[in-house]
Amino acid sequence: MKWIAGLFMAALTISSLAHAQEVPRPQKVDDLVRLLQDPEVRSWLEKAPGPSSGAVQEADAGLATWEAATRARIDGVVAAIPRIPGEVLAAAARTRADALSNGKLPVFVVFLGLTAIGLFAERMFARSRGRAEGPLERLLAIGVFAAAMGAVFFAFDWPALPRIVLLVSLLAMVAYRTISALLDAAVLASSVRIRAKVFAAVALIAVAVASLGRPLSVDPATTEAISFCFSIALLALAVEGVVSFSGRPIRTRVALCLAFVVIWMLWCVGLHGLFWLGVYAMALPSALRFAGRAADEAFPSEPNSMKRVLLVRGSRAVVVAAAVAWLAVVWRFDPNSLVHSDPAVAAVSYGLLKSVVVLLLADLAWHLAKSWIDRSLSVHTEAANDPSQAARRGRLRTLLPIFRNVLAVVVAVVAGLIVLAEIGVQIGPLIAGAGIFGVALGFGSQTLVKDVISGVFYMLDDAFRVGEYIQAKSYKGTVEGFSLRSVRLRHHRGPVFTVPFGELGAVENMSRDWVIDKFRVNVSYDADIEKARKLAKKIGAELQADPELGPLFIEPLKMKGVEEFGDYGIVLSFAMTTVPGMQTYIRRKAYAKIREAFKENGIDFATPSVQVGGEDRDGAAAAATAIRAQQTKAVAVEG
């Protein structure tokens, strides 16, 4: 930091020596320079009609006028540097005399008194809160500090010069304390934070001094000279901060130093619009990153919270909108701005600024809608005993992703059309052309249109939802998601089918509301049917009382009775009503319990068998032996 002060003093000394060695200019030259710097004279010179010698000559004349005015302004600033101490002392003397002549204390004493009152109010506020000092608490305390000083300031009638000096000084102090609080809240190294505070202090002092020049009757050239000296100090601080930061490669640091020098030169030559563009290009990324980190710290566990989106996107939108508004003001009141050189350039430039605001609003609206949709999709499904609520959430999980995609397209198209309109493009023919193109696309892509329209009617009919198991023609699986033209099905064995809506046809939904599952069991003809019925009822009660299986039942397991007489036994029919998708799991449990219960109670399952003969088994055996002997004898005779 010491070498910055030395460099600054050396620049002042060299400028003073150079001015002392040169031959004094006549008073008429100084009067001409001051006349050329008058805004009304500049405006009249720029708008004054000249000889119509073609567009090229007019551009050259405008460039020559700008070059002459810039050279005169720079010469006036260099010539006014030695007069800075005298002008500052004269302005201070006038302010002091104005205060004393009206029976008031000197400005410096009053400023210290107001500051003490503000600090006392801030201290009392901090004691009343009794909380840990955080960024929000500190900003509130600064607000109390500013309110207390403002109340006392506006309670008294001050002379003209002391009033403006006090007001500017108090505003500068409040602004510095606010910036300092924000820097303390940022995750920055100690050295970087100190350098940023010093830079902010010097910048605020420069702005305050420049704004006090005209009210205190300071020579405009001297005011510009003071601003020039402060700009050198700010440039030195920026370069020193970049050079001393070893966390970046040397090429990056050199590029940043050159960028700072170029931006400073743009300000020196009066191209304020380009200067502020360069400043925003350097400062906005850091400001936007700071806003994102602040939002992450404020809402770490709520990524889809509306408050977080408003804080992140809203703060970024405010920062960018403030930059756009300030740039528009600079272009508006800067006669040397290139925007005023051509009405077409002015229209496009202001259209681009308006387009930035439109894009910011579109971005904020889209992220707010997206956060609401994502938060709605992330809500867990409520208990299955509330079927209406479960159906509502299932329908939302189905429709919201499609609505999100459609909303993204609509926001992008509307924002794009508004941007084109703001920069001077006639969007009427574009809309008409888009309509004609849409009709041609509809005739040429009938299959695509069919798929999209079929998907719309499937959604209106609520034919299926995300998570349901469906079957359509030869496709079946769990619905995983949608697009505008197709549905994605996951087969229970793993494959994924992407089926266009136009090819689905009739849809069999196997996961809606409830499922009745029926199965049959074959028992022997001598089984006790009544005992089997009682055992089935008992098994149904046990399954429904199970803490894991009970919530899955809508109606318990029951034996319906004898279904038919089979070839090998009696066919018994069983049925139960369960929630969709769990019937197979429950049926396996029921099979195991029925087997164990029937086995323990002497109920045999039917098995295929062949019964040969009657009651005289010995006679049948003898007859069979005789027949076999005759067949053997016959074969021997033939042989």
Side-chain angles (χ1 to χ4, degrees):
M1 301 295 291
K2 293 181 179 180
W3 68 270
I4 297 177
L7 178 62
F8 183 62
M9 295 302 297
L12 290 178
T13 305
I14 293 172
S15 300
S16 301
L17 291 175
H19 181 267
Q21 291 177 2
E22 65 183 6
V23 178
R25 292 187 300 182
Q27 183 63 30
K28 295 182 179 181
V29 176
D30 293 337
D31 295 338
L32 177 61
V33 170
R34 292 182 183 179
L35 187 61
L36 289 175
Q37 291 174 356
D38 186 85
E40 296 181 359
V41 176
R42 290 184 184 180
S43 178
W44 186 86
L45 288 175
E46 291 176 357
K47 297 178 180 179
S52 57
S53 12
V56 177
Q57 292 183 0
E58 290 181 1
D60 293 340
L63 184 61
T65 303
W66 170 80
E67 187 271 339
T70 303
R71 183 182 296 275
R73 189 171 64 87
I74 293 175
D75 292 340
V77 168
V78 173
I81 288 178
R83 301 198 300 269
I84 291 176
E87 292 283 351
V88 172
L89 293 176
R94 287 193 297 270
T95 305
R96 179 183 177 84
D98 192 11
L100 295 178
S101 64
N102 288 275
K104 303 295 184 180
L105 294 174
V107 175
F108 183 70
V109 177
V110 176
F111 177 76
L112 291 180
L114 292 175
T115 304
I117 293 173
L119 292 175
F120 176 76
E122 179 181 352
R123 183 65 177 174
M124 297 303 295
F125 172 79
R127 286 186 178 182
S128 64
R129 300 285 287 184
R131 298 180 181 177
E133 186 177 358
L136 183 58
E137 293 293 325
R138 189 170 178 185
L139 291 176
L140 288 176
I142 294 173
V144 173
F145 169 80
M149 292 193 304
V152 177
F153 173 78
F154 287 106
F156 295 92
D157 187 16
W158 307 97
L161 295 183
R163 181 173 66 247
I164 189 63
V165 173
L166 284 174
L167 180 61
V168 172
S169 302
L170 294 177
L171 290 176
M173 173 175 284
V174 173
Y176 172 75
R177 294 200 61 195
T178 304
I179 295 173
S180 179
L182 294 176
L183 290 174
D184 290 335
V187 184
L188 298 174
S190 178
S191 58
V192 176
R193 187 180 299 111
I194 293 174
R195 286 185 173 88
K197 289 183 179 180
V198 173
F199 186 89
V202 175
L204 289 173
I205 293 173
V207 173
V209 171
S211 62
L212 287 174
R214 178 174 294 181
L216 298 182
S217 300
V218 179
D219 183 17
T222 305
T223 303
E224 290 192 7
I226 295 174
S227 301
F228 177 76
C229 295
F230 275 112
S231 70
I232 294 178
L234 292 174
L235 176 63
L237 286 171
V239 171
E240 190 272 339
V242 172
V243 172
S244 61
F245 185 65
S246 59
R248 294 182 177 180
I250 186 65
R251 293 182 179 178
T252 304
R253 285 184 281 175
V254 171
L256 287 175
C257 291
L258 292 177
F260 288 144
V261 173
V262 171
I263 293 173
W264 175 76
M265 293 178 65
L266 290 174
W267 181 82
C268 290
V269 299
L271 298 177
H272 294 163
L274 295 178
F275 163 76
W276 285 108
L277 282 177
V279 170
Y280 294 144
M282 300 294 292
L284 278 181
S286 300
L288 298 180
R289 284 195 299 269
F290 171 74
R293 286 197 299 267
D296 292 335
E297 294 176 0
F299 304 97
S301 59
E302 303 179 15
N304 294 325
S305 172
M306 299 287 284
K307 295 180 180 178
R308 185 180 185 278
V309 174
L310 281 174
L311 181 60
V312 175
R313 298 291 170 177
S315 58
R316 291 178 178 177
V318 168
V319 171
V320 177
V324 170
W326 179 250
L327 193 60
V329 170
V330 170
W331 284 352
R332 176 70 176 175
F333 294 101
D334 183 14
N336 295 326
S337 176
L338 297 178
V339 174
H340 299 290
S341 61
D342 191 354
V345 176
V348 172
S349 300
Y350 286 110
L352 290 175
L353 294 182
K354 296 177 183 177
S355 300
V356 171
V357 176
V358 170
L359 293 177
L360 288 174
L361 294 177
D363 177 77
L364 181 60
W366 158 244
H367 279 90
L368 286 175
K370 182 176 179 294
S371 67
W372 177 79
I373 294 173
D374 293 341
R375 190 173 65 258
S376 300
L377 291 175
S378 63
V379 174
H380 297 290
T381 305
E382 296 185 0
N385 55 5
D386 191 353
S388 61
Q389 195 73 309
R392 177 178 177 273
R393 293 195 177 279
R395 187 167 177 81
L396 286 177
R397 289 199 309 272
T398 301
L399 297 177
L400 286 180
I402 299 178
F403 175 73
R404 180 176 55 193
N405 297 335
V406 173
L407 182 63
V409 174
V410 170
V411 171
V413 171
V414 172
L417 290 176
I418 295 176
V419 168
L420 291 176
E422 290 296 338
I423 61 177
V425 178
Q426 296 295 330
I427 62 174
L430 292 179
I431 297 175
I436 297 173
F437 177 76
V439 173
L441 183 64
F443 282 109
S445 305
Q446 296 183 15
T447 304
L448 178 62
V449 175
K450 175 185 176 183
D451 294 336
V452 174
I453 295 177
S454 299
V456 171
F457 282 103
Y458 276 123
M459 296 300 102
L460 292 177
D461 293 339
D462 194 19
F464 44 81
R465 305 166 186 162
V466 174
E468 293 183 338
Y469 193 91
I470 66 172
Q471 180 172 356
K473 295 182 179 179
S474 60
Y475 307 104
K476 60 182 178 178
T478 303
V479 180
E480 287 192 343
F482 300 91
S483 66
L484 291 177
R485 60 170 298 271
S486 63
V487 59
R488 187 169 62 254
L489 302 178
R490 172 74 66 174
H491 194 268
H492 58 272
R493 294 181 179 176
V496 177
F497 298 105
T498 301
V499 187
F501 287 117
E503 295 184 9
L504 284 179
V507 176
E508 180 183 357
N509 193 326
M510 304 178 183
S511 301
R512 187 61 60 85
D513 302 331
W514 44 266
V515 173
I516 296 179
D517 186 62
K518 295 182 179 181
F519 58 91
R520 298 177 179 181
V521 175
N522 293 336
V523 297
S524 62
Y525 277 104
D526 58 355
D528 189 344
I529 304 299
E530 182 62 20
K531 181 184 289 187
R533 186 187 65 79
K534 293 180 180 180
L535 290 175
K537 183 177 181 181
K538 180 180 179 181
I539 293 170
E542 292 178 357
L543 291 175
Q544 197 168 17
D546 186 272
E548 180 184 359
L549 301 177
L552 305 179
F553 276 99
I554 297 177
E555 292 185 6
L557 174 68
K558 295 181 181 179
M559 193 185 83
K560 297 297 184 181
V562 177
E563 186 71 21
E564 64 180 5
F565 293 101
D567 295 336
Y568 308 107
I570 301 175
V571 180
L572 302 180
S573 174
F574 297 81
M576 58 184 174
T577 305
T578 66
V579 297
M582 302 305 297
Q583 66 272 16
T584 304
Y585 174 68
I586 299 175
R587 188 196 312 149
R588 294 192 186 101
K589 298 289 185 180
Y591 278 157
K593 286 185 173 292
I594 290 173
R595 178 183 178 280
E596 296 295 331
F598 281 13
K599 184 177 180 181
E600 291 176 358
N601 289 273
I603 299 177
D604 297 328
F605 291 96
T607 56
S609 62
V610 178
Q611 186 174 357
V612 180
E615 295 181 356
D616 190 8
R617 297 182 180 180
D618 295 338
T625 303
I627 292 174
R628 190 180 301 109
Q630 291 177 0
Q631 290 177 350
T632 302
K633 183 177 179 180
V635 171
V637 171
E638 291 177 0

